[in-house]
Amino acid sequence: MWLLVPLALATVVGAALLYPFGVEQKTGAEVGLNQTPVEAVVTGMAENCGEKCVAITVKMSDGPSPGQSITIPSVKGPGAPSFALGDEVVLSYSGTQPQAAESYQIVDYQRGWSLVVLALLFAAAVLLLGRWQGLAALGALLLSFAVLVLFVMPSLLAGQNPLMVAVVGAGLIMFVVLYLTHGISARTSTAVLGTLVSLALIGVLGALFSALSSLTGLDDDTANLVRLLGTDIDTRGLLLAGTLIGALGVLDDVTVTQTSAVWELRRANDKLTWRELFAAGSRIGRDHMSSVVNTLVMAYAGAALPLLLAISLAGRSMGEILTAQQIAQEIVRTLVGSIGLVAAIPVTTALAALVAVRQEVAPASAEPADPEPSAPEPKTVKRAKPAATPVEPQPAKPKPGKPRPARIEGDLFTGYDPGKGPWERPGDPSGASAPRARRAAPARQAPPARRRSFE
């Protein structure tokens, strides 16, 4: 509490200071973006506009002229989008002449319904497995997007320091997501502390190696953003902000997993010391570390795959490709984030072990065990005594402390006791036929007595 309360207050104060109150951000035509999206449906296609051209007729459903049909030429060939009748597309309207086809251009497909179906499937899967905790996770996800849209993006567009905005935004997301999903407890607080330490390490290493590598953060998208904003923005800080926010999601996974592992080890054996808990949790963390680092590297490599292909086609060597501006910044992001993930494992494990050994072990909510089947009562089978009964040897006395088992007597070979009279066939159990008359068994000489005692 002494560590977390000041950090939470600092996060709230930082958000209040960095949020651009009273600043209206220019959008659309005010920043030079004169293109307006218009939804339309493809109603006709004709290949009469050239060898590598197809004329597409669309009917607009909104925009300046809803219900109007226009014909727009589109490129045909490898790499060009292919359209079919009934496709829902998005047009770009330049804002000059609403009735002229030259004012429109097909730029994209409408894909809102498919994304909604995918989001519903995702929510159903989370709720099916997580139930109430899954519902809390979905709420935390929505709040994370709200922090990004309502705080991080407006603050960056207003020209605030990107690194400070990322630190405060990551703190808000972390406190909201972890406590809402996992509840307010010492375990969750330990995960929050481990995440904070790792984020601080990522920020320091990112700033250091971005300066040592002379990374500017200026790629095509960032350059266009700076031109549209018309204000001075720290592009290197924007690069670091993306690194922090990108690593935050994986850090949550690592820290929560490590704290849960330490607490379960403590519950399984409350005699473990701090060193033993730390050693056992670290062994679990090593396996987790290898998979998480690989996940982060593959995520960045997948995002930069088109760029890698474009640079490789230029005939440049591998060293030139890896040290190029756009590739080098992805390498810095990946390696700095991976170092933070690796450091999060021992830091979080040590904190969790220190806190767990000072807490009373809560009994696990176990279901009542099934009652063990009771042993059947021993039966004593009596056997007809012959005329001359041999003297039975005295059984050995049982050892003290152990109950003496019951003695079982009888013929263990035939299973038939002549002392009960002649053998008879049982009647029909269903009662359909009358029981047969008792038939005397033929007289036979009784076998010699074989009396055995089993203890």
Side-chain angles (χ1 to χ4, degrees):
M1 292 295 294
W2 286 106
L3 290 172
L4 285 176
V5 170
L7 292 174
L9 291 177
T11 301
V12 174
V13 172
L17 294 177
L18 292 174
Y19 187 79
F21 292 101
V23 178
E24 295 183 2
Q25 178 60 44
K26 298 179 180 180
T27 58
E30 298 175 342
V31 295
L33 297 176
N34 298 319
Q35 303 295 324
T36 304
V38 176
E39 295 182 354
V41 180
V42 176
T43 57
M45 300 179 63
E47 299 183 0
N48 56 1
C49 60
E51 182 180 355
K52 295 183 178 182
C53 177
V54 56
I56 301 177
T57 303
V58 296
K59 183 177 181 180
M60 294 180 288
S61 55
D62 62 358
S65 300
Q68 178 184 351
S69 296
I70 57 174
T71 301
I72 303 174
S74 179
V75 179
K76 180 181 67 173
S82 58
F83 300 97
L85 295 179
D87 284 350
E88 297 179 344
V89 296
V90 178
L91 309 180
S92 176
Y93 172 58
S94 61
T96 55
Q97 300 178 3
Q99 306 298 328
E102 293 79 10
S103 301
Y104 300 89
Q105 184 180 2
I106 301 177
V107 293
D108 205 352
Y109 291 93
Q110 298 182 36
R111 53 182 64 91
W113 66 269
S114 59
L115 296 180
V116 170
V117 171
L118 181 59
L120 292 177
L121 289 176
F122 167 73
V126 173
L127 293 176
L128 182 63
L129 181 62
R131 299 182 182 180
W132 288 111
Q133 191 170 4
L135 181 62
L138 291 177
L141 180 62
L142 294 177
L143 290 177
S144 299
F145 276 110
V147 171
L148 290 175
V149 174
L150 300 179
F151 170 72
V152 175
M153 294 174 60
S155 300
L156 292 176
L157 292 176
Q160 299 289 355
N161 188 311
L163 184 58
M164 295 301 299
V165 171
V167 169
V168 174
L172 289 174
I173 294 174
M174 179 188 57
F175 280 108
V176 169
V177 169
L178 291 182
Y179 282 116
L180 180 60
T181 306
H182 304 284
I184 300 177
S185 63
R187 179 188 301 191
T188 307
S189 300
T190 305
V192 170
L193 283 176
T195 306
L196 282 173
V197 174
S198 302
L199 282 177
L201 180 60
I202 291 175
V204 172
L205 291 178
L208 176 62
F209 284 94
S210 295
L212 292 177
S213 303
S214 301
L215 296 179
T216 62
L218 278 173
D219 52 15
D220 294 338
D221 295 334
T222 307
N224 292 332
L225 175 64
V226 173
R227 179 179 56 82
L228 290 174
L229 291 177
T231 58
D232 188 15
I233 185 172
D234 184 6
T235 56
R236 181 180 294 174
L238 197 61
L239 172 65
L240 296 176
T243 304
L244 283 176
I245 295 176
L248 178 61
V250 189
L251 274 177
D252 291 348
D253 176 29
V254 172
T255 55
V256 171
T257 301
Q258 286 305 114
T259 53
S260 297
V262 171
W263 251 263
E264 292 303 322
L265 290 171
R266 169 70 173 169
R267 176 177 294 180
N269 186 0
D270 57 354
K271 305 299 182 183
L272 293 176
T273 63
W274 173 84
R275 293 181 181 275
E276 292 171 338
L277 277 178
F278 176 73
S282 298
R283 287 192 294 269
I284 298 173
R286 291 190 194 102
D287 295 334
H288 194 197
M289 175 191 65
S290 59
S291 60
V292 167
V293 170
N294 187 61
T295 300
L296 189 61
V297 172
M298 291 299 102
Y300 281 123
L305 186 59
L307 181 61
L308 291 173
L309 294 175
I311 295 180
S312 62
L313 290 176
R316 302 171 66 177
S317 63
M318 182 58 65
E320 293 174 342
I321 292 177
L322 295 179
T323 56
Q325 163 74 24
Q326 294 176 318
I327 302 299
Q329 68 182 18
E330 298 298 332
I331 293 176
V332 170
R333 282 180 179 178
T334 303
L335 298 183
V336 167
S338 300
I339 292 174
L341 293 177
V342 172
I345 292 175
V347 170
T348 308
T349 306
L351 291 173
L354 284 172
V355 177
V357 295
R358 288 165 172 79
Q359 283 198 322
E360 295 182 0
V361 179
S365 56
E367 297 181 357
D370 296 335
E372 296 183 359
S374 58
E377 297 181 357
K379 295 182 179 180
T380 303
V381 181
K382 296 183 178 180
R383 182 190 178 100
K385 295 183 179 180
T389 305
V391 179
E392 297 180 3
Q394 294 295 330
K397 294 183 179 181
K399 296 180 180 180
K402 293 184 179 180
R404 182 178 179 180
R407 177 177 295 180
I408 302 176
E409 297 180 353
D411 189 354
L412 302 180
F413 293 92
T414 62
Y416 165 64
D417 185 6
K420 294 184 178 181
W423 178 83
E424 62 176 339
R425 184 186 301 276
D428 188 4
S430 63
S433 61
R436 299 181 180 181
R438 178 176 295 181
R439 183 172 55 185
R444 63 183 180 89
Q445 185 66 26
R450 292 191 293 268
R451 187 178 300 277
R452 297 184 182 182
S453 298
F454 296 87
E455 293 183 357

